[in-house]
Amino acid sequence: TTAAVKAWQSCHGLKPDGLVGPLTRAKMFTDLVHGIDVSHWQGAIDWAAVAASGVRFAWCKAGQGSGGKDPRWLENVAGCNENGILVGAYHFAVPDRRPDDALTEARHCVARMAGLQLELPPVLDLELNGARLAPAELEDWALTWLAEVAQLTGRRPVLYSGNHFLRKHANGGARIAASGCRLWVARYRGGQHTDPGPTGGFTSWAIWQHSCTGKVPGIDGNVDLNVLADGEATLADLVED
């Protein structure tokens, strides 16, 4: 924990002042920009209440695999639009060995986005390897998906995954990181004020999902909670790119 906090202080130009010293605490609370990610599992959402709670951004599940559609995708996007929450699409990947599967899934995601007001870039949710692709194969699959979505949308997609999954199934995602892809990391340790540290081949992260059991007004049950690496600066970068 000490090392993680010192690393966070260093990247923000702060002198070490203890684990929760006043300078670090002030910077952390000033910079935190809060967001969520949702799917049909959250049921009907009161987006006005979500916005009033301070949530600034949301990624909503658009689809899954080569043809799956989240039944609440359109209403969730509309709810965000109507309440000033920046929104984007995430696609739950189901990689398999069929020729051009990555292209098919990428095009399915883009089709789900068509005609909608989406300020945030699309996200590849990579946490499943049921087809047991070899690490190099899965990394190739992800790179193909990311490149196709970038070409079709003009946006730079984000990769969502976790340290264990990337290391076990995708060689740490080193080639994905080298491509310039930004990382949205899932790691539930230490709370929102403790840097999650390196993930696989990625030395930095843009978005951190720090809890899968969060509580937010307007949502029944648990919801994933996220913060941005550099607060408003990261949010601006995501919206512009």
Side-chain angles (χ1 to χ4, degrees):
T1 301
T2 301
V5 170
K6 286 183 176 180
W8 192 94
Q9 291 166 333
S10 175
C11 75
H12 286 83
L14 296 169
K15 294 181 180 180
D17 62 338
L19 289 180
V20 289
L23 296 179
T24 297
R25 186 185 304 112
K27 182 67 174 174
M28 285 177 167
F29 278 92
T30 298
D31 278 8
L32 283 179
V33 175
H34 297 275
I36 59 175
D37 56 278
V38 301
S39 70
H40 67 281
W41 291 110
Q42 275 67 49
I45 295 174
D46 181 346
W47 285 103
V50 172
S53 75
V55 167
R56 297 279 305 283
F57 65 91
W59 268 283
C60 304
K61 184 179 180 181
Q64 177 170 328
S66 59
K69 300 177 180 180
D70 190 285
R72 292 196 180 271
W73 161 242
L74 293 178
E75 70 180 77
N76 283 336
V77 172
C80 289
N81 293 161
E82 292 165 5
N83 290 282
I85 297 173
L86 301 176
V87 64
Y90 80 82
H91 175 81
F92 188 89
V94 187
D96 65 36
R97 297 183 180 279
R98 290 176 297 176
D100 295 331
D101 177 62
L103 294 175
T104 299
E105 292 204 21
R107 292 163 185 166
H108 173 50
C109 177
V110 173
R112 296 288 285 158
M113 297 166 56
L116 300 176
Q117 178 185 322
L118 302 169
E119 296 87 0
L120 300 176
V123 170
L124 173 62
D125 180 348
L126 189 64
E127 55 182 293
L128 181 70
N129 186 20
R132 297 187 179 182
L133 274 65
E137 292 176 321
L138 187 61
E139 202 169 15
D140 285 341
W141 191 101
L143 286 166
T144 298
W145 190 100
L146 294 164
E148 181 71 2
V149 169
Q151 180 177 344
L152 293 175
T153 65
R155 305 295 302 273
R156 185 158 62 104
V158 172
L159 175 71
Y160 167 93
S161 196
N163 186 54
H164 176 75
F165 183 87
L166 286 177
R167 289 187 179 280
K168 181 177 180 179
H169 295 284
N171 292 322
R175 285 191 290 134
I176 302 173
S179 75
C181 181
R182 292 160 295 189
L183 176 67
W184 175 4
V185 59
R187 187 173 295 184
Y188 313 134
R189 70 177 192 190
Q192 62 189 350
H193 302 302
T194 306
D195 192 305
T199 297
F202 290 84
T203 57
S204 64
W205 52 274
I207 308 117
W208 176 19
Q209 185 184 89
H210 61 85
S211 175
C212 61
T213 57
K215 304 295 182 184
V216 172
I219 299 177
D220 292 332
N222 295 334
V223 65
D224 297 335
L225 302 179
N226 304 277
V227 292
L228 303 179
D230 286 302
E232 297 291 347
T234 299
L235 189 62
D237 175 68
L238 289 166
V239 170
E240 292 171 5
D241 194 7

